[in-house]
Amino acid sequence: MATSAVADLQLVGSGPFGHGQTGDFDSALLRTSDDRELVVRVPANDQSASDQSVELIALQAMTAGIRSRLPFVVPTIVGQTSVRGTRAVVYDYLPGYGVPAEHIPAGDGVATSIGAAIAAIHSLPGSFVAEVGLPSLTAADCRTEARNVIERAAATRLLPAAVKQRWTDAAADESLWQFQPTVINGSLSAESFVVTDHNVGPIVTGIIGWGSLRVGDPARDLHWLSGAGEAADSVLAAYRLSAARHPDRLISQRSMLHAELELARWLLHGVDTKDQQVIDDAVALLDGLVDHVLGDLMHPLSPQTGPIMAVADVEEMLSRTPQTAAAAQAHGFAMETDSYDRSQFEAALAEDDAEGTRDENDGTHNTDAIETGPIDLAAVEKARAAAADANDAARDQPASGSPATGATDATGTPTTGTTGDGYTAELDFAALEAAESGEITPLTQRRPSSSAE
C-alpha cells in the first residue's frame, strides 16, 4: 500500500505502530532505503474514515506560515492511495513517546509544555480554517451542539436523572457560554502529544490527530484534563500564561461538561452501531458519574448563585467603581466597596482624634474639665444653717403673695423670696448631703444659669 501511495518509495523494513491510539486505525511504521521513517494508516471504521478525510484537509491547510506559529511539529502527508473501499495515507513519522494522563507529573516539564502547546493552537488565526470549509462555530453553535448530545442521550432512556439534570442546567446557564471561539484541535487527548527528552526536560515536540480541526469552544481541548489529577492545574496555569487572549472565567466548568458529554457520545456510539457491549460500558460509566455528581458539590457545572467572578475580574470592577459624593464628604474616603486606601482611613482616624483633643483643651463636651477643689465643711454647715433660717422665715410669712421681711427692690417694692444677688434661695438638701460626702462638686461650682447673669 505504501509503495502505491508514494512514488519510487523503497522500503527496507516495517513494524507495528501506535501512540496509544484507540484502535480506530490500522497503522504500521515503515523504514525507507534513504533511512527515513514513515507511518501508514488505514481507517478501521466509517467514523475513522471521516476523521481521516477532515485531517487531510486540515493538514493541507496548515501551510508553512501556520506551522511556524506552533512550538511543535505537525505531521506532513507524504502520499495516499485507495485500498479496500477506503484510503491509506502515508505520513512522516514524529519520533517520541506519549505520557498517559494519569502519569503526567505536576509542575514544570511535560504539564507546562502541554499547556503552552494548547495555547499555541488556540492562538492561530481562524481564517485559514474557514477558507478550506472546515466548521467555524459560534458560542451559540457550541451550546446548541451540547444540547443536541444531551437530548439524544436522554432519548435513549439510559441517562440517569441526576446526570441529565446536571447537564440540562449547564446548557441553560447563559454565563457558561459567554466565550470567544478559537481554533481548536477538537479531539485532543493525552495520547495526542508526542514528547521527547531534552536538556531542559521532557517537552512536547509534536501533536498528532487533526481530524476535528475547527473554530469552536477552547474548553473542548481541555476536557481530557479531568483524568490528569494534580497535573491539570499545572497545564491550566501554563495555558493561561501562554494564551494570546485571556481565557474566559468559566472555561474549566465547560471543559468538565465536555468531559462528561464524552460518556454520552460513547453511549450514542453504542446505540448507533447496535453494539450492546459499548452500551453496557457507557451505562456503567454514567452510573459511576451519578456518585460523582451527588458527592462532588464543590465543583458544579452551573453556579447556582450566579456567574463566578475571577479575582482579576473583581479587581477590575473595583477599580472602575466611583466613590459616592456623600461618602466622600463624610470623611474624605468611601467604603462603597471592600477595596479602600489604608492611608486615607488612617488620616480620617487621626482627624477624629485631633477633634477630640481640641474638645478636651477648650472644655467643650467634657465635664471633667471643670475645676474642683476641697470641700469646705464649715461653709457647708453655714449654708445648712442659713437654709434652716430661711425655712423658718418662710413658715412665719403671711399668706402667699406677702412680701418677705427686710427685702425690697430698687423702688422699695418688697421682693418675694429672693436673695440680693438675683439667685433663688431654694436649696436642694440632697445635693448638700452629697456635697458633704464629697460625691459632687462644691455648691459654688453648681450655680444655676439665670437671666440675671
Side-chain angles (χ1 to χ4, degrees), residues 4-350:
S4 301
V6 182
D8 301 325
L9 179 65
Q10 296 182 0
L11 300 176
V12 296
S14 64
F17 173 78
H19 266 298
Q21 298 298 311
T22 60
D24 292 332
F25 292 88
D26 294 326
S27 305
L29 179 64
L30 310 175
R31 183 177 295 276
T32 68
S33 58
D34 54 358
D35 207 26
R36 286 192 301 162
E37 291 183 319
L38 304 173
V39 174
V40 59
R41 302 177 74 204
V42 179
N45 52 57
D46 292 340
Q47 183 60 50
S48 300
S50 177
D51 291 342
Q52 187 185 63
S53 298
V54 175
E55 185 176 53
L56 289 175
I57 298 173
L59 293 178
Q60 290 172 351
M62 299 179 75
T63 62
I66 294 296
R67 292 169 185 251
S68 67
R69 297 169 179 258
L70 302 173
F72 53 83
V73 177
V74 175
T76 300
I77 299 173
V78 179
Q80 57 181 303
T81 187
S82 297
V83 55
R84 299 194 302 269
T86 185
R87 180 189 292 112
V89 180
V90 179
Y91 309 81
D92 60 347
Y93 170 65
L94 302 185
Y97 58 91
V99 181
E102 64 273 16
H103 294 154
I104 298 176
D108 293 339
V110 177
T112 54
S113 182
I114 289 175
I118 299 174
I121 297 173
H122 296 177
S123 299
L124 292 175
S127 56
F128 87 94
V129 174
E131 287 172 357
V132 295
L134 293 177
S136 185
L137 306 180
T138 65
D141 294 333
C142 296
R143 183 182 187 180
T144 299
E145 187 178 62
R147 277 177 167 162
N148 290 339
V149 172
I150 296 170
E151 291 173 0
R152 289 185 59 207
T156 66
R157 299 183 180 277
L158 298 173
L159 190 63
V163 174
K164 177 185 176 182
Q165 188 62 50
R166 174 178 170 90
W167 293 350
T168 302
D169 290 343
D173 183 5
E174 294 286 346
S175 64
L176 193 65
W177 302 95
Q178 302 298 317
F179 64 88
Q180 180 66 41
T182 66
V183 173
I184 61 174
N185 174 281
S187 58
L188 281 182
S189 65
E191 290 77 17
S192 302
F193 302 95
V194 179
V195 179
T196 57
D197 295 322
H198 287 260
N199 294 334
V200 296
I203 62 173
V204 174
T205 54
I207 292 182
I208 59 176
W210 293 86
S212 299
L213 181 69
R214 64 186 61 197
V215 172
D217 185 358
R220 185 71 182 271
D221 281 348
L222 302 171
H223 79 276
W224 61 274
L225 290 176
S226 61
E230 295 181 358
D233 290 337
S234 301
V235 174
L236 283 172
Y239 171 76
R240 294 181 183 276
L241 185 64
S242 303
R245 290 178 295 191
H246 195 281
D248 67 277
R249 63 183 182 273
L250 297 181
I251 191 170
S252 295
Q253 280 91 335
R254 282 201 319 283
S255 69
M256 191 186 307
L257 173 62
H258 287 304
E260 295 178 11
L261 289 182
E262 288 299 306
L263 302 183
R265 291 187 174 93
W266 184 235
L267 172 64
L268 294 174
H269 171 68
V271 172
D272 293 341
T273 59
K274 297 180 174 58
D275 189 329
Q276 191 60 45
Q277 185 176 356
V278 172
I279 294 174
D280 293 343
D281 181 51
V283 169
L285 292 172
L286 289 168
D287 288 341
L289 182 59
V290 172
D291 296 334
H292 173 75
V293 169
L294 297 179
D296 189 14
L297 299 180
M298 296 301 294
H299 298 88
L301 293 177
S302 177
Q304 298 299 318
T305 57
I308 296 173
M309 296 189 71
V311 174
D313 296 330
V314 174
E315 292 176 345
E316 180 182 358
M317 182 192 71
L318 293 179
S319 68
R320 292 186 283 105
T321 302
Q323 294 182 351
T324 63
Q329 292 173 0
H331 286 291
F333 69 97
M335 294 296 288
E336 296 300 310
T337 68
D338 290 335
S339 177
Y340 62 91
D341 188 337
R342 184 179 178 85
S343 63
Q344 291 180 330
F345 185 58
E346 293 174 345
L349 293 178

